[in-house]
């Protein structure tokens, strides 16, 4: 007897319990529901999800690998705190990687690339949910980098963006960061469309450096 007609789910593609917990904890940390240095109590999380501590610990280990959580002796898992020096280095890494990928991508861009980029820009400026701003920001950058055909490098860039996302949300929500980002994104897209590699890279560097500068202006002075 076959069960295909019963529209069975593909359990092979069903996320595991730890993956679901990872996603929810990641979103909570990025959105600022957990403060820097705040402990994440495994018992509390397990109780809220009605699971044992095993998948919770697996989830926290994944977040540790992403740089969002760290384990300390006698204190357990805690949300990581980044110093200004660490944040500055991440923005330096962004420039190095994103400059290189954009240079490789521009010769391979098509009208479909630009149409997609402009669609993301329109959605970005019309979005009121700060949680979506960072997501759309990444979608725009990824759209411009994918033609480089360097998935490993784009993956590295994505990992840096993920580590910075909670700070980018702060920067865009506490300043005129959203409007500034939209204007700068459109200028970068225009330079890419014109095939002006040097101008596009220069604008990208100014965009990343500007985000870093305004972020530091809004960070607590005690950092």
């Amino acid at each position: 007897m076959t069960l295909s007609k019963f529209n069975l789910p593909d359990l092979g593609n069903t996320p595991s319990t730890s993956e679901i917990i990872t996603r929810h904890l990641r979103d909570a940390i990025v959105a600022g529901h957990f403060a820097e240095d705040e402990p994440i109590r495994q018992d509390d999380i397990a109780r809220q999800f009605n699971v044992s501590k095993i998948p919770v610990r697996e989830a926290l280990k994944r977040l540790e690998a992403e740089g969002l959580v760290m384990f300390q002796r006698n204190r357990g898992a805690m949300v990581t705190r980044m110093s200004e020096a660490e944040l500055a280095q991440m923005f330096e890494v962004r420039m190095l990687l994103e400059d290189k990928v954009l240079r490789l991508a521009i010769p391979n861009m098509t009208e479909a690339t630009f149409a997609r980029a402009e669609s993301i820009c329109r959605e970005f400026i019309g979005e009121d949910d700060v949680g979506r701003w960072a997501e759309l920001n990444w979608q725009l950058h990824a759209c411009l980098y994918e033609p480089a055909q360097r998935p490993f490098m784009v993956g590295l860039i994505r990992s840096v963006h993920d580590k910075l996302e909670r700070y980018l949300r702060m920067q865009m929500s506490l300043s005129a960061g959203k409007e500034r980002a939209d204007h700068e994104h459109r200028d970068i897209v225009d330079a890419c469309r014109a095939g002006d590699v040097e101008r596009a890279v220069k604008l990208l560097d100014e965009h990343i450096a500007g985000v870093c500068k305004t972020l530091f202006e809004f960070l607590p002075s005690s950092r």
Side-chain angles (χ1 to χ4, degrees):
M1 175 183 175
T2 178
L3 297 177
S4 58
K5 66 179 180 180
F6 292 103
N7 195 26
L8 298 177
D10 183 357
L11 296 181
N13 290 326
T14 302
S16 67
T17 301
S18 64
E19 289 173 335
I20 294 171
I21 296 172
T22 300
R23 184 174 67 248
H24 283 279
L25 286 177
R26 183 190 297 115
D27 290 345
I29 292 170
V30 166
H33 296 306
F34 288 101
E36 292 179 330
D37 296 331
E38 180 177 349
I40 301 178
R41 308 295 184 190
Q42 294 185 45
D43 289 340
D44 292 344
I45 301 300
R47 184 167 54 253
Q48 292 178 51
F49 281 95
N50 193 29
V51 297
S52 72
K53 289 197 296 184
I54 294 175
V56 176
R57 185 168 182 81
E58 291 174 354
L60 291 172
K61 282 296 186 182
R62 293 187 185 191
L63 295 174
E64 181 184 35
E66 295 176 12
L68 295 176
V69 164
M70 64 181 298
F71 282 86
Q72 291 190 355
R73 182 176 296 180
N74 300 324
R75 300 189 68 183
M78 303 180 64
V79 177
T80 55
R81 169 184 290 273
M82 289 189 192
S83 67
E84 287 192 5
E86 289 170 324
L87 286 171
Q89 288 180 59
M90 287 199 171
F91 280 100
E92 288 176 352
V93 170
R94 278 194 59 186
M95 281 191 188
L96 290 170
L97 291 176
E98 295 184 45
D99 283 3
K100 178 64 174 178
V101 171
L102 187 63
R103 287 182 182 278
L104 293 170
I106 290 175
N108 298 327
M109 290 181 180
T110 65
E111 280 304 313
T113 304
F114 303 125
R116 173 63 177 150
E118 289 163 1
S119 174
I120 295 169
C121 287
R122 288 193 297 271
E123 186 176 356
F124 177 83
I125 199 61
E127 180 59 66
D128 294 325
D129 180 2
V130 66
R132 283 280 292 156
W133 294 351
E135 181 182 345
L136 290 168
N137 177 70
W138 167 249
Q139 287 182 20
L140 188 279
H141 282 263
C143 174
L144 297 180
Y145 303 154
E146 284 168 1
Q149 300 174 15
R150 297 294 193 281
F152 181 76
M153 291 181 68
V154 174
L156 290 177
I157 295 169
R158 177 62 193 266
S159 70
V160 176
H161 273 252
D162 287 347
K163 290 180 175 66
L164 291 172
E165 184 173 343
R166 55 183 151 152
Y167 302 102
L168 295 178
R169 288 193 186 197
M170 180 195 306
Q171 183 264 339
M172 283 192 283
S173 61
L174 295 179
S175 68
K178 177 189 176 185
E179 289 73 19
R180 176 177 175 176
D182 176 67
H183 175 75
E184 292 175 352
H185 284 160
R186 292 176 186 273
D187 285 346
I188 293 169
V189 172
D190 288 345
C192 291
R193 183 189 286 276
D196 191 336
V197 175
E198 296 307 319
R199 175 168 171 75
V201 170
K202 179 176 180 292
L203 290 171
L204 178 62
D205 282 349
E206 291 173 351
H207 170 62
I208 295 173
V211 171
C212 183
K213 179 177 181 295
T214 56
L215 173 61
F216 283 173
E217 290 173 357
F218 286 95
L219 285 175
S221 58
S222 60
R223 291 185 72 88

